[in-house]
Amino acid sequence: MDGLFKERLDTVFIRRGISTHRRVRRLLQKHNVCVNGTRVLESGFGLNLATDELSIDGIKKNLAPDIYLMMNKKSGTICSTKDDGLYKTVYSFIPQKYFYYAKENSLQKIHTVGRLDTDTEGLLIFTTNGDFSHSLANPLFHVKKTYYVELEKSEPEEQRKFLEKKFSEGFFIPPEKNEREFISRPAILEWNSANSCRLTITEGKFHQVKRMFSAQGNKVIFLKRISIGSLALDEKLAPGDSRELSSEELSLLFK
């Protein structure tokens, strides 16, 4: 019966943001990973989440189950925990059974992994796992984020080719409000038409996609995040709807 309550060690690491799928074996080799005081070297080792004690280099890790949700964010909603009087918060769309996780006195406080602008739609991840959200948002992991973009002005073919090269190299982004200027990392720009495209970036500066196109003389009029890593937004989700992620889907976030 114990096997019914066990989960693979590598799956636990991925779900809790301790490691990515590719780095699990390296972590087991270089660090003292113990279950109930005994060192473990096999990534497929079965953990009993209810009774086993996991530690890494002497530091205990919480094995209580975490929540991971995918939401199709609606335009006109904010990623703050409270309404600002003008727009509804994305937390007001969380299913009823997860409401108590969003309360400030909860031991497992659910939160968004990063943010999307008020007028941006698409893939938004919620979790109670702080390590996981830190890893997913950490620029050192170079997690890909892909957006569908519609622009105010159509770009002629020659300019589209120029922009593809420009985005692939990175370029200067001027300051905006209280945000500093920066040099964008190399990004992948793929055109669907003269005024629509897909943009894949590996960072998440304030208003980054909008600022990148603005710096090149155009304006974003519609923006939707369609994937993170290799995990695509479930198009069956209506705007504002959400569902839980499987272990397999979680691993796709870092691929």
Side-chain angles (χ1 to χ4, degrees):
M1 291 292 290
D2 285 347
L4 295 176
F5 301 97
K6 289 189 176 182
E7 192 168 350
R8 285 176 58 101
L9 185 63
D10 52 5
T11 300
V12 172
F13 281 3
I14 292 168
R15 290 184 69 87
R16 282 155 181 76
I18 297 171
S19 178
T20 64
H21 182 75
R22 287 181 292 181
R23 299 182 183 216
V24 170
R25 289 185 179 179
R26 188 189 312 170
L27 185 149
L28 291 172
Q29 292 170 355
K30 293 189 175 183
H31 296 269
N32 189 24
V33 178
C34 294
V35 176
N36 302 325
T38 301
R39 185 169 184 184
V40 176
L41 296 173
E42 295 296 325
S43 60
F45 183 89
L47 271 177
N48 187 318
L49 301 184
T51 61
D52 285 343
E53 184 178 277
L54 172 68
S55 66
I56 301 176
D57 295 335
I59 301 174
K60 292 182 180 180
K61 296 293 181 179
N62 181 18
L63 292 180
D66 280 298
I67 291 173
Y68 303 89
L69 302 176
M70 168 197 292
M71 174 180 280
N72 183 4
K73 179 187 175 294
K74 295 179 66 172
S75 177
T77 57
I78 56 176
C79 291
S80 171
T81 55
K82 296 180 180 179
D83 294 344
D84 65 358
L86 293 175
Y87 302 103
K88 283 189 174 182
T89 169
V90 291
Y91 292 88
S92 66
F93 294 91
I94 295 175
Q96 186 75 37
K97 62 181 178 179
Y98 302 119
F99 272 11
Y100 74 96
Y101 284 106
K103 294 181 180 178
E104 293 183 4
N105 61 352
S106 172
L107 292 176
Q108 288 181 290
K109 187 175 180 182
I110 198 165
H111 58 274
T112 62
V113 181
R115 297 185 173 215
L116 291 176
D117 295 340
T118 304
D119 58 352
T120 301
E121 304 179 7
L123 180 56
L124 184 64
I125 303 297
F126 289 79
T127 185
T128 52
N129 186 335
D131 289 336
F132 174 85
S133 57
H134 175 74
S135 296
L136 194 60
N138 192 330
L140 295 177
F141 280 87
H142 300 279
V143 176
K144 298 180 296 182
K145 303 172 185 69
T146 301
Y147 297 82
Y148 169 71
V149 185
E150 292 183 2
L151 301 170
E152 184 176 64
K153 297 188 301 183
S154 295
E155 299 284 7
E157 184 176 359
E158 185 175 339
Q159 178 68 1
R160 295 200 299 271
K161 291 180 179 179
F162 168 80
L163 290 174
E164 286 178 6
K165 186 174 186 298
K166 190 79 172 177
F167 276 63
S168 70
E169 296 171 344
F171 54 92
F172 176 78
I173 308 294
E176 178 181 302
K177 296 181 180 179
N178 296 325
E179 300 297 320
R180 299 177 61 180
E181 71 276 6
F182 66 98
I183 302 296
S184 65
R185 284 182 176 174
I188 301 173
L189 179 62
E190 303 168 286
W191 293 96
N192 296 332
S193 68
N195 71 331
S196 66
C197 59
R198 290 160 55 103
L199 177 65
T200 300
I201 59 177
T202 57
E203 53 188 338
K205 305 286 188 182
F206 180 74
H207 289 175
Q208 177 160 347
V209 175
K210 296 174 182 176
R211 291 169 69 186
M212 290 176 79
F213 282 100
S214 177
Q216 299 302 319
N218 212 325
K219 181 180 180 180
V220 173
I221 58 173
F222 178 81
L223 186 60
K224 180 177 183 178
R225 184 157 65 190
I226 56 177
S227 67
I228 299 176
S230 295
L231 177 67
L233 173 66
D234 185 347
E235 294 294 348
K236 294 179 182 178
L237 289 174
D241 284 354
S242 59
R243 66 166 176 81
E244 291 191 27
L245 291 170
S246 67
S247 296
E248 292 75 16
E249 288 176 320
L250 286 173
S251 66
L252 291 175
L253 287 165
F254 293 95
K255 291 183 179 179

